Amino acid sequence: MTIRTALEARKPELAASYTAFATRRFERLTERFGPVLRGIYNSDQARNWQAIANLTTRTGTRIGDHLVLDGCKVAAAADRYADEVVEAWIAKIDAKMGQLDDATVCHLDGHRFAINGQKAGRSVRIEQDRIVNVSSQGTLFNQWPARIYLDGKFISAAKFAQI
């Protein structure tokens, strides 16, 4: 199995994580600012609103207008997010390690993964964390710090690149 195949199997989990993130954020904002989010642009929460504003739909009459989280928009954004995360994850692994043979991805806990495989006949293990952050523009993004083990022993990315 290739790294791509192993990581693409994680897309449903990543999409579900994005959906939960958007739902929680919308719920918190509507609890604080009401169903039309009155005053949000002049608040400290404007950035949080910008991250999900395109996932909402205005419903009701002019008098009874309110915003709702649009399930179709959230699903499409979650799928895009999962695709982008997998591509970024693959790029990070390739930059650190190159392609591995017989790759498997194990979910350890929370946002921690272990990637096992072979390279040049040697056992390779990457223990990688997924740290989820939000940019100053309100965009969700990931960071991927990792530790590399070659034949069970820790090795720096620089030394591994020399092999």
Side-chain angles (χ1 to χ4, degrees):
M1 177 181 299
T2 66
I3 287 284
R4 176 170 297 282
T5 303
L7 295 181
E8 283 183 350
R10 297 292 175 182
K11 282 184 179 181
E13 176 184 334
L14 293 165
S17 174
Y18 181 90
T19 299
F21 163 82
T23 301
R24 279 190 315 272
R25 180 160 286 179
F26 183 75
E27 288 171 353
R28 279 186 287 202
L29 293 174
T30 54
E31 284 173 11
R32 181 170 170 187
F33 295 96
V36 293
L37 298 171
R38 188 171 319 280
I40 196 160
Y41 288 107
N42 296 322
S43 77
D44 62 342
Q45 295 299 307
R47 180 177 86 170
N48 288 320
W49 168 239
Q50 290 171 340
I52 62 165
N54 63 333
L55 305 177
T56 62
T57 301
R58 189 170 297 279
T59 64
T61 63
R62 276 189 84 168
I63 297 169
D65 243 6
H66 63 280
L67 294 166
V68 295
L69 205 54
D70 186 314
C72 292
K73 290 179 182 179
V74 171
D79 288 343
R80 278 192 309 275
Y81 170 77
D83 290 341
E84 291 167 5
V85 168
V86 166
E87 291 306 317
W89 201 356
I90 290 168
K92 291 287 185 180
I93 292 169
D94 279 347
K96 289 177 186 166
M97 309 189 68
Q99 197 56 246
L100 295 178
D101 298 321
D102 300 320
T104 59
V105 177
C106 306
H107 188 258
L108 299 177
D109 59 33
H111 294 286
R112 186 175 190 115
F113 295 87
I115 300 163
N116 299 306
Q118 297 284 319
K119 185 161 185 150
R122 298 178 77 180
S123 172
V124 177
R125 179 178 175 89
I126 309 168
E127 291 181 0
Q128 194 159 36
D129 294 316
R130 180 171 65 105
I131 299 171
V132 181
N133 283 321
V134 179
S135 74
S136 61
Q137 290 80 34
T139 304
L140 192 67
F141 71 96
N142 296 273
Q143 293 175 308
W144 302 98
R147 292 185 57 87
I148 302 169
Y149 296 89
L150 183 65
D151 295 328
K153 295 180 183 173
F154 173 75
I155 186 170
S156 71
K159 285 188 178 183
F160 185 81
Q162 296 172 353
I163 296 174

